[in-house]
């Protein structure tokens, strides 16, 4: 009889222990899940949708976005900053974030003078996942060349997208994965070219570009798939063609024009 009581006690003790451990593990799991959900809830909109593995890849990295000609006025900067911060997070002195936003010329002033070459100092200590240049100013390709010269193989290990460049054409092509321009229409009265792009929202192409750049993790290849990649960054009602040099008649492999 005593042996049966002892045996029953042991069994009850084991059941209680197992129940306690299971309950503790369940609470721990729920707590971990709640913490994970809380962290994810605080992420910028687009970063919520990427995998945990991709979030890990982006840890400590920046994507530099440079706003130059046509996009460096107060209204555009404010609109673009707000969009980038909502979708990806914009870095400030108080907080780290994925996007490092630089505005030309104010963020390139050295001793009271504009120095586009200061880009090298601004990014060389950053762990970059990419760079996007909107309205590239003159001489920016020289700064990019200097960054390339600092690498072992003379090629930046991250993608560089140049949109609506006002820099040297060949220089922009040689330092970018691709260059994208708009086919400006000529004013029939004045014969001047307008910078206005009808039904175009810069925040859309920036958002699309950053989303794709996050998944790339390496420079784009200048192959047959490049044009299709660039097309997907634009609205579906746009037509994309390759840039043709006016003097040589040669077609560029990484420079495109859209209408």
């Amino acid at each position: 009889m005593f042996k049966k009581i002892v045996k029953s006690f042991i069994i009850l003790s084991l059941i209680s222990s197992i129940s306690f451990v299971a309950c503790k593990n369940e609470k721990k799991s729920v707590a971990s899940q709640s913490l994970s959900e809380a962290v994810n809830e605080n992420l910028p909109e687009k970063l919520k949708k990427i995998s945990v593995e991709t979030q890990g890849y982006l840890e400590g990295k920046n994507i530099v976005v440079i706003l130059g000609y046509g996009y460096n006025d107060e209204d555009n900067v404010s609109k673009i900053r707000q969009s980038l911060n909502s979708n990806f997070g914009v870095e400030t002195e108080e907080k780290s974030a994925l996007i490092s936003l630089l505005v030309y010329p104010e963020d390139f002033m050295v001793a009271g003078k504009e120095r586009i070459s200061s880009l090298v100092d601004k990014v060389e200590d950053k762990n970059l996942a990419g760079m996007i240049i909107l309205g590239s100013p003159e001489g920016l390709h020289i700064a990019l060349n200097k960054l390339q010269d600092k690498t072992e193989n003379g090629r930046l290990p991250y993608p560089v997208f140049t949109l609506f460049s006002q820099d040297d054409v060949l220089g922009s092509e040689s330092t970018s994965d691709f260059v994208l321009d708009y086919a400006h229409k000529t004013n029939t009265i004045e014969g001047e070219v307008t910078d206005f792009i009808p039904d175009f929202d810069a925040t859309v192409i920036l958002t699309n570009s950053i989303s794709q750049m996050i998944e790339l993790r390496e420079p784009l290849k200048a192959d047959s798939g490049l044009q299709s990649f660039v097309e997907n960054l634009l609205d579906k009602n746009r037509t994309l063609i390759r840039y043709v040099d006016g003097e040589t008649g040669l077609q560029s492999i990484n420079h495109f024009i859209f209408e």
Side-chain angles (χ1 to χ4, degrees):
M1 181 68 178
F2 176 74
K3 288 183 178 179
K4 289 183 178 179
I5 293 174
V6 171
K7 187 176 181 180
S8 299
F9 177 77
I10 293 172
I11 291 172
L12 288 171
S13 297
L14 286 171
I15 292 173
S16 298
S17 298
I18 292 170
S19 298
F20 174 77
V21 171
C23 182
K24 187 176 181 180
N25 287 341
E26 184 178 354
K27 287 181 179 178
K28 184 178 179 181
S29 176
V30 170
S32 298
Q33 186 177 6
S34 299
L35 179 61
S36 176
E37 289 174 351
V39 170
N40 192 59
E41 187 64 30
N42 290 326
L43 284 173
E45 196 61 35
K46 293 295 182 181
L47 298 187
K48 291 179 183 178
K49 301 176 182 179
I50 64 177
S51 67
V52 174
E53 191 270 338
T54 302
Q55 288 180 20
Y57 160 74
L58 292 175
E59 184 69 28
K61 288 185 172 65
N62 287 119
I63 290 177
V64 170
V65 176
I66 300 173
L67 302 183
Y69 296 130
Y71 300 93
N72 56 357
D73 60 280
E74 187 176 344
D75 289 343
N76 267 308
V77 171
S78 177
K79 178 182 178 182
I80 290 171
R81 186 187 299 276
Q82 183 177 1
S83 173
L84 293 181
N85 192 50
S86 173
N87 285 305
F88 305 101
V90 173
E91 187 177 62
T92 66
E93 291 183 359
E94 292 76 29
K95 69 168 186 175
S96 59
L98 177 62
I99 304 301
S100 178
L101 185 64
L102 299 175
V103 180
Y104 175 86
E106 62 189 71
D107 290 326
F108 295 86
M109 303 301 289
V110 178
K113 294 183 178 181
E114 176 273 317
R115 292 284 185 268
I116 195 64
S117 58
S118 64
L119 174 68
V120 177
D121 296 327
K122 291 181 178 297
V123 306
E124 64 178 352
D125 292 331
K126 291 180 178 291
N127 187 5
L128 294 188
M131 185 183 296
I132 301 174
I133 307 149
L134 191 59
S136 179
E138 301 97 331
L140 186 57
H141 74 281
I142 298 174
L144 290 174
N145 263 321
K146 289 181 179 178
L147 287 172
Q148 288 179 334
D149 291 341
K150 290 177 176 289
T151 65
E152 292 183 2
N153 61 0
R155 181 170 170 79
L156 295 175
Y158 49 81
V160 177
F161 301 168
T162 297
L163 315 173
F164 318 125
S165 176
Q166 309 253 344
D167 197 6
D168 176 74
V169 173
L170 293 178
S172 294
E173 291 174 352
S174 67
T175 53
S176 309
D177 290 33
F178 70 82
V179 178
L180 179 65
D181 283 312
Y182 173 68
H184 296 291
K185 304 301 181 182
T186 302
N187 187 311
T188 55
I189 299 176
E190 301 292 338
E192 296 177 350
V193 175
T194 174
D195 288 332
F196 175 69
I197 303 176
D199 303 318
F200 179 77
D201 185 350
T203 63
V204 174
I205 193 169
L206 280 175
T207 299
N208 292 342
S209 296
I210 294 168
S211 294
Q212 290 301 314
M213 192 171 274
I214 285 172
E215 300 299 331
L216 281 176
R217 306 193 188 184
E218 62 181 5
L220 283 164
K221 294 179 180 178
D223 56 20
S224 58
L226 184 58
Q227 182 166 346
S228 177
F229 177 90
V230 178
E231 281 177 336
N232 289 331
L233 303 180
L234 295 164
D235 293 331
K236 296 187 182 301
N237 62 338
R238 301 293 188 178
T239 301
L240 189 72
I241 60 174
R242 290 186 181 274
Y243 170 80
V244 177
D245 184 90
E247 295 182 3
T248 65
L250 296 176
Q251 191 178 74
S252 175
I253 59 173
N254 71 334
H255 191 166
F256 304 94
I257 309 291
F258 75 90
E259 297 178 349

